[in-house]
Structures are given as C-alpha cells and as structure tokens.
Amino acid sequence: MWFILYTVGFVASVLYVYSFFRRRLFASFMEHITSKPSPKITAMKKSLFESMKEIVSSDPESKRSGRFRLLEIGPGTGTNFEFYPSNAKLSVLEPDHSFKDYFARNKQKFPHLELENFYEGWAQDMKQVRSGSIDAVVCTRVLCSVPVRKTGPFLAEVKRVLAPKGRFYFVEHVGDRPGTILRWIQNALRATFLYGFLTCGCIPNKSTDEDVKRAGFSSTDATRFHVETDAPVWTLKGFFLRLIASHVAGVAGK
Ligand SMILES: C[S@@+](CC[C@H](N)C(=O)[O-])C[C@H]1O[C@@H](n2cnc3c(N)ncnc32)[C@H](O)[C@@H]1O
Ligand SMILES: *[C@@H]1O[C@H](CO)[C@@H](O)[C@H](O)[C@H]1NC(C)=O
C-alpha cells in the first residue's frame, strides 16, 4: 500500500518538476530530430514549394517589386528557410518562446531572406494579420499540435488572411491507415495523458488532409507518403520518427 502511494507521489513530483522545463526540452528535441532531415522529407518539401515561384502578389507594392508575402505559422526551430524563393517577404507567427534561439540561429544561415514580421500568437486567433493580405501560408508539422476542436478555427483563420488567389502549403504528420499496427499504437498513445504531456500536445492520429478538405478551400491537392529513418528504434529519436512516419504534403487554394 505504502509502496503504491510512494510510487504515485514520486511520479507525480517528477512530472510536476518536468512541467516547468518541458517546452524548452521539447524545443531542443525538435532541433535534434530536424537538424538532419531525412532525404524524403527534403525532396517532398522541395517539390511542393517549387510552385511558389509562380506566385504573383496581390499586394500592388509587392507585385511592383516582383515579391510576394509569405506567412509561416509555427516555424519552431526554422526548418523551411532553404525552400523559400529569394523574392519571398517572410513573416512568421509563433506562440512558443522556447524556440526563439534555435530559430534565430537557423535564420542566420539565410541572411538574404527578408524576415518582415515576427508575430507572437496562436493561428486560430491571429488578429495581427490583416484579412486577404498574404499570398502564401506555410505550415509544417504544426496541425498535429492543434487540439481537435481548434483545428476548424485555425484553418478558417488561414483562409481569412489569404489573398483571393492565395495558397496554403502544408506538410504534416498524420495517423497511419486505419487497421495497421502503427495506427493502433498511435490511437493508443493518443488515449494517454502522458504522450500529449511529453510532446507538448502532439496528436499522433489526426487526418489533417481531411480537415483541410472540410475547411472550404476552393481546391486541395494532397499526397500521402512515408518518411523512413536510420536512427535505431530504441533511441527516443528513432522511436518518435517511426511513430510519426505517415505524412501528407499538399497545397490548397483559397
Ligand atoms: C512540432 S513543432 C514543428 C516546428 C516546425 N514547423 C518544423 O517543421 O519542425 C510545432 C510548432 O507549431 C507551433 N504551434 C502549435 N500550435 C500552434 C497554433 N495553434 N498556432 C500557431 N503555432 C502553433 C509550435 O509552437 C511549434 O513551433
Ligand atoms: C485518435 O485516438 C483517440 C484515442 O484512442 C480516439 O478517441 C480518436 O477517435 C482517434 N482519432 C482518429 C481520427 O482516429
């Protein structure tokens, strides 16, 4: 009896202390798993973002100078700079301070890329960004961290800030096909408090492509793919990257 009480007390204390550091630890874990991305995800991002070259800005001033306005939501450590064309005027929206140093360090490697605004806040409530003012919105591995009931409002805000011909680019990890062992593990982990707590709200079994299709964009073009990893399965990185192996890459028109 006492043993059980002690154990519960001990685990609760560890989690309580951990709760003060979890955002910073998660940010450093994200930097750890994304600093050498798999060739597959790099290739998918490259081919998806290729079409940004065709964008003609709806903002007369940007158009005159041959530039366009790009908003990245939830850039985290900054994993997408290398894919942006040099005529992009980049703004980012990030709610979490813990990523700031990693973001700044990774941004330094791309000094030619202009960072116009750094907004702090949540995308489901981005009052700082004017309606119809953005030519392209980008999210990579962001919607997995958005609670199910906030996903609709999040996507509605993306649509609101996009210009009439604006595009929404996304690369997200999603739940595996129903019926697979991986999907069973994802559903099971989702049912635990601990998984969400440790990963700062990651939902492993979402169907983000379905959510985008339901959000009322005029067109959606999305492809599912798997991302393999060389990291051994018994390391935290190897386990986590296998757990989130199923991805979707797509673009939606406003
Ligand atoms: C798993 S990280 C991914 C970071 C980066 N985009 C990448 O590809 O590695 C999730 C990011 O989304 C941000 N985020 C989570 N919920 C958000 C929301 N509702 N609005 C805006 N950003 C959000 C987090 O702060 C974090 O930067
Ligand atoms: C994700 O897992 C939870 C818990 O097992 C389950 O209730 C929910 O329906 C699953 N979501 C999807 C989209 O399968």
Side-chain angles (χ1 to χ4, degrees), residues 12-13 56 80 121 140 166 209:
S13 317
V56 177
N80 297 320
T140 68
D209 38 356

Side-chain angles (χ1 to χ4, degrees), residues 60-108:
E61 196 198 311
S62 304
K63 186 176 170 180
R64 229 173 295 126
S65 55
R67 312 194 59 191
F68 73 98
R69 300 191 69 204
L70 173 61
L71 173 69
E72 179 169 348
I73 295 173
T77 59
T79 56
N80 297 320
F81 302 127
E82 66 176 287
F83 306 105
Y84 295 151
S86 54
N87 62 336
K89 280 204 269 185
L90 177 65
S91 293
V92 299
L93 175 90
E94 173 59 62
D96 192 341
H97 283 289
S98 323
F99 289 103
K100 223 162 193 168
D101 293 345
Y102 300 107
F103 178 90
R105 212 177 306 146
N106 287 323
K107 174 68 184 71
Q108 268 175 10

Side-chain angles (χ1 to χ4, degrees), residues 183 187 190-191 205:
R183 179 55 180 263
N187 286 351
R190 166 65 177 152
N205 67 348

Side-chain angles (χ1 to χ4, degrees), residues 26 30 34 45 72-80 93-96 99 121-124 140-142 144-146 154:
F26 185 65
M30 282 306 297
T34 56
K45 283 185 175 178
E72 179 169 348
I73 295 173
T77 59
T79 56
N80 297 320
L93 175 90
E94 173 59 62
D96 192 341
F99 289 103
W122 303 92
Q124 57 271 27
T140 68
R141 290 181 177 160
V142 171
C144 57
S145 331
V146 179
F154 182 113

